[in-house]
Amino acid sequence: MSNLRNTIDPIVVSVIRHRLLVIVEEMGEAMLCTSYSQILNSSRDFSTAICDLDGRLIAQAEHVPIHVGALPYAAKAISDFFAGDIHQGDVFLLNDPYHGGNHLPDLTVFVPVFAGERPRFWSINRAHQSDIGGATHGAYNAAATDIWQEGIRITPLRLYDRGEVRRDLLEMIATNVRHPRDFRGDLAAMIGSAHVGERRLLALAAEFGWPVADAAIEAVLDGAERQTRAVITQWRDGVYHGEAVLDDDGRGHDDIYIRATVEKRGSDLLIDLSDSYEEVASFINSSYPNMRSAVVVALSYLIDPDTPKNDGTFRPITVIAKPGTVVWANPGMPVTLATNHCGQEIMEAIIKALAPACPDRAIAGWGRRFRIAIQGRDPRAPAPGDIPGGKPFIWHFFQARPGGGASPAGDGWPGAGEWQAAGGIKFGSLEVTEVRFPLFFRRHEFRPDSGGTGKYRGGPGGIVEMVVETAAPAVANTAGDGVRHGACGILGGADGLPHRYTLYSEGSPPRAIKTKETGILIHPGDVLVLESGGGGGWGDPADRSPDAIAADIENGFVTALPPEEDS
């Protein structure tokens, strides 16, 4: 292997590298076309990847970055648990954050890929479920004080045994979610997507032979490491500090801080998160795999975009963290919000720390996540069994995405979403949403003046005004952050505006919606006005060109000249 690895034709390596990328992208397209739930087939909250049996990340599609950095831990957990007992036709499941999951809603499917009689790789699909059981609908429970209140925990589990589904297990899992029909359809889509990866990887091996494919994969990983180290080497050596702060934990504690100390020496990074807030009885905690994922996502945003993101890319990183802190909670603590918060704050603290070392690469903060899930009945559609009130639904709010952060390359993207997803999650069609759910959107537009000022401006957030058209009261819960702290500006740029969500109910004064609530009563005809935050600005606002300022006003991204320019 070593001789072949050193002599393999670079053109073959390039072809196989791009074939791997096409495989994981095709897996995503299969998922998009066959999944049932709005959160998957419209908002695209899923990711696809290939890992080897040792848990090394071989290839990933550009879907949701925070998913993929944790997948190696999940793949290793499956490999270790079923060592010597993996067969062709098997399908495995996992969602437990303490076994390599991000959070319980992110169910993961693993299909083994065999070379002859030996399993070699995992074809993987991780997808956020519309519901995963637990005390509240929609998978997020702001009231949870332990993980058992957040949903069903699936540790390494064999769902298909040599091609035969284990019907008892499938029935047990489906019974524990609120919409079993959609869950079954989404799970079938995930398995089908992973089988697409299996077939395409086998076809690649049949074309080139396993020895050449293996050597090329090792060359791709080594090449990614070289490219990453070449970038890091250009940054200034030193020890740097960064801090990011969450609004609260929903339990009366404000300003939950994440602190990163980053030592850069040569082409290596030592990232120390030990001095972070202690774990809390709230779902903002992170498990270790999710924390590691946030770390590698931060690095991914600082290196060249065309560098493959795989195991080799992240070899320059060493991480130090302390168990019992919010970034590495002890098993059993609630963690469902962690993919967004504190995952996003881990990224922010690291990028803030490294900004002085690589100012030409540092990016300002993207808008924070503020999600609403509404559970009710759609009076337009009959319920199964003619249950009164209409068909039950769970709707997840993905519209009015917050703004992206500015960078040395220019202004932040409008409505791009949160940092942990970097545009990978979409808001979907309003018209399709209105057909599928009893909701009417009066407006959906950019929010003026929400992006932080700077040499380059943060992307504006959005505004949604919508009417809930149920015939009976519905119930909402929220999960998020960012009504006190907006997306961070960087290198002199200003922070973006925080979120502002308001419920208007006839006969009651307008009500500010909190980021961590359960049991919000939504009456028929109630109006939600949801204004999302903008991205942070990059660089000194005084350096912004007059033409850019004029274009901002013309486009409606800002409503007036800065005070010093107003005459």
Side-chain angles (χ1 to χ4, degrees):
M1 166 67 75
S2 58
N3 290 336
L4 183 56
R5 179 174 174 178
N6 294 329
T7 60
I8 189 170
D9 188 335
I11 295 176
V12 173
V13 173
S14 179
V15 168
I16 290 179
R17 171 194 157 187
H18 288 89
R19 282 279 291 275
L20 291 169
L21 179 59
V22 168
I23 289 170
V24 290
E25 288 178 342
E26 185 181 354
M27 292 167 64
E29 290 303 305
M31 180 68 179
L32 183 66
C33 293
T34 56
S35 53
Y36 280 38
S37 297
Q38 158 248 353
I39 197 170
L40 301 177
N41 61 29
S42 180
S43 298
R44 305 181 183 220
D45 195 348
F46 61 81
S47 296
T48 55
I50 296 168
C51 288
D52 67 11
L53 269 287
D54 292 326
R56 297 186 305 165
L57 179 63
I58 304 302
Q60 61 164 310
E62 293 189 0
H63 291 138
V64 182
I66 194 68
H67 283 167
V68 185
L71 284 178
Y73 298 91
K76 189 68 165 57
I78 296 287
S79 296
D80 289 348
F81 192 88
F82 291 101
D85 189 24
I86 300 169
H87 311 282
Q88 298 206 30
D90 287 355
V91 177
F92 300 92
L93 297 184
L94 181 148
N95 79 338
D96 188 70
Y98 298 102
H99 288 81
N102 287 101
H103 59 176
L104 293 181
D106 286 336
L107 185 63
T108 311
V109 162
F110 302 82
V111 168
V113 181
F114 279 75
E117 298 300 315
R118 185 161 68 100
R120 297 294 311 281
F121 297 97
W122 294 113
S123 178
I124 305 173
N125 183 305
R126 174 163 288 179
H128 187 117
Q129 305 304 298
S130 180
D131 188 84
I132 201 68
T136 60
H137 66 274
Y140 291 88
N141 180 9
T145 56
D146 61 46
I147 194 171
W148 291 275
Q149 297 167 337
E150 296 188 296
I152 184 171
R153 296 177 68 179
I154 302 172
T155 54
L157 180 148
R158 192 196 318 267
L159 183 65
Y160 278 72
D161 188 354
R162 296 175 174 87
E164 295 295 325
V165 64
R166 299 177 66 185
R167 292 178 54 250
D168 53 344
L169 289 179
L170 178 58
E171 186 67 22
M172 183 274 293
I173 298 170
T175 301
N176 275 276
V177 302
R178 288 171 175 82
H179 286 173
R181 174 188 174 275
D182 285 0
F183 174 83
R184 289 174 182 271
D186 291 335
L187 179 58
M190 295 172 67
I191 294 170
S193 165
H195 277 306
V196 168
E198 176 197 22
R199 291 194 298 271
R200 297 296 183 263
L201 196 54
L202 289 173
L204 183 151
E207 180 176 345
F208 291 94
W210 276 113
V212 171
D214 288 338
I217 287 170
E218 297 302 325
V220 169
L221 302 185
D222 292 345
E225 179 182 6
R226 287 194 301 272
Q227 291 177 47
T228 302
R229 290 189 180 279
V231 169
I232 295 173
T233 300
Q234 298 170 13
W235 303 347
R236 289 196 290 271
D237 283 354
V239 178
Y240 304 95
H241 304 277
E243 179 179 281
V245 181
L246 290 89
D247 288 350
D248 58 68
D249 66 352
R251 299 286 188 278
H253 303 100
D254 293 338
D255 299 333
I256 309 298
Y257 56 81
I258 312 295
R259 292 171 178 159
T261 298
V262 182
E263 181 179 357
K264 187 270 176 184
R265 290 284 179 263
S267 65
D268 291 305
L269 296 174
L270 176 64
I271 298 173
D272 189 343
L273 300 170
S274 300
D275 187 22
S276 295
Y277 207 94
E278 291 184 0
E279 66 182 26
V280 295
S282 167
F283 62 174
I284 65 170
N285 297 302
S286 177
S287 65
Y288 184 85
N290 185 78
M291 175 268 288
R292 287 297 301 252
S293 187
V295 171
V296 302
V297 171
L299 176 62
S300 297
Y301 292 162
L302 296 174
I303 61 176
D304 293 342
D306 57 354
T307 296
K309 309 305 185 294
N310 57 40
D311 178 79
T313 315
F314 309 123
R315 292 172 185 166
I317 296 175
T318 300
V319 177
I320 298 173
K322 180 181 176 182
T325 58
V326 71
V327 303
W328 185 1
N330 288 309
M333 299 302 291
V335 296
T336 301
L337 189 56
T339 52
N340 294 278
H341 310 291
C342 64
Q344 184 156 319
E345 286 68 33
I346 295 170
M347 301 173 209
E348 180 180 324
I350 293 169
I351 292 174
K352 278 183 174 178
L354 283 169
C358 54
D360 59 333
R361 290 179 176 269
I363 185 172
W366 289 43
R368 299 190 176 194
R369 182 77 174 108
F370 189 173
R371 165 202 160 279
I372 295 178
I374 299 176
Q375 175 180 277
R377 290 187 174 276
D378 186 346
R380 306 168 304 175
D386 294 325
I387 299 172
K391 180 182 178 181
F393 72 89
I394 297 175
W395 175 75
H396 294 263
F397 173 60
F398 280 96
Q399 282 69 27
R401 307 295 284 167
S407 73
D411 295 341
W413 294 330
E418 305 82 16
W419 222 348
Q420 52 85 23
I425 296 177
K426 316 298 181 184
F427 64 74
S429 163
L430 296 186
E431 292 77 13
V432 170
T433 300
E434 289 174 334
V435 169
R436 297 176 67 178
F437 301 95
L439 305 170
F440 172 67
F441 291 87
R442 287 178 175 170
R443 43 175 190 144
H444 185 224
E445 57 194 44
F446 293 131
R447 182 186 180 191
D449 303 315
S450 58
T453 58
K455 179 178 180 180
Y456 299 113
R457 171 191 40 73
I463 302 174
V464 149
E465 181 179 345
M466 71 177 195
V467 184
V468 179
E469 296 183 327
T470 55
V475 177
N477 60 49
T478 66
D481 202 75
V483 296
R484 293 178 55 237
H485 298 291
C488 69
I490 206 163
L491 298 171
D495 293 351
L497 279 188
H499 301 300
R500 182 172 59 196
Y501 286 19
T502 310
L503 171 64
Y504 294 86
S505 190
E506 187 174 354
S508 302
R511 176 197 188 290
I513 301 173
K514 298 177 182 178
T515 55
K516 303 168 184 72
E517 288 195 73
T518 60
I520 304 170
L521 199 61
I522 308 289
H523 295 283
D526 279 0
V527 177
L528 297 172
V529 178
L530 311 174
E531 302 170 85
S532 65
W538 187 96
D540 188 342
D543 294 334
R544 188 160 181 79
S545 74
D547 288 345
I549 294 172
D552 285 342
I553 295 174
E554 181 180 0
N555 292 327
F557 290 158
V558 300
T559 57
L561 291 171
E564 64 272 14
E565 306 258 349
D566 204 354
S567 58

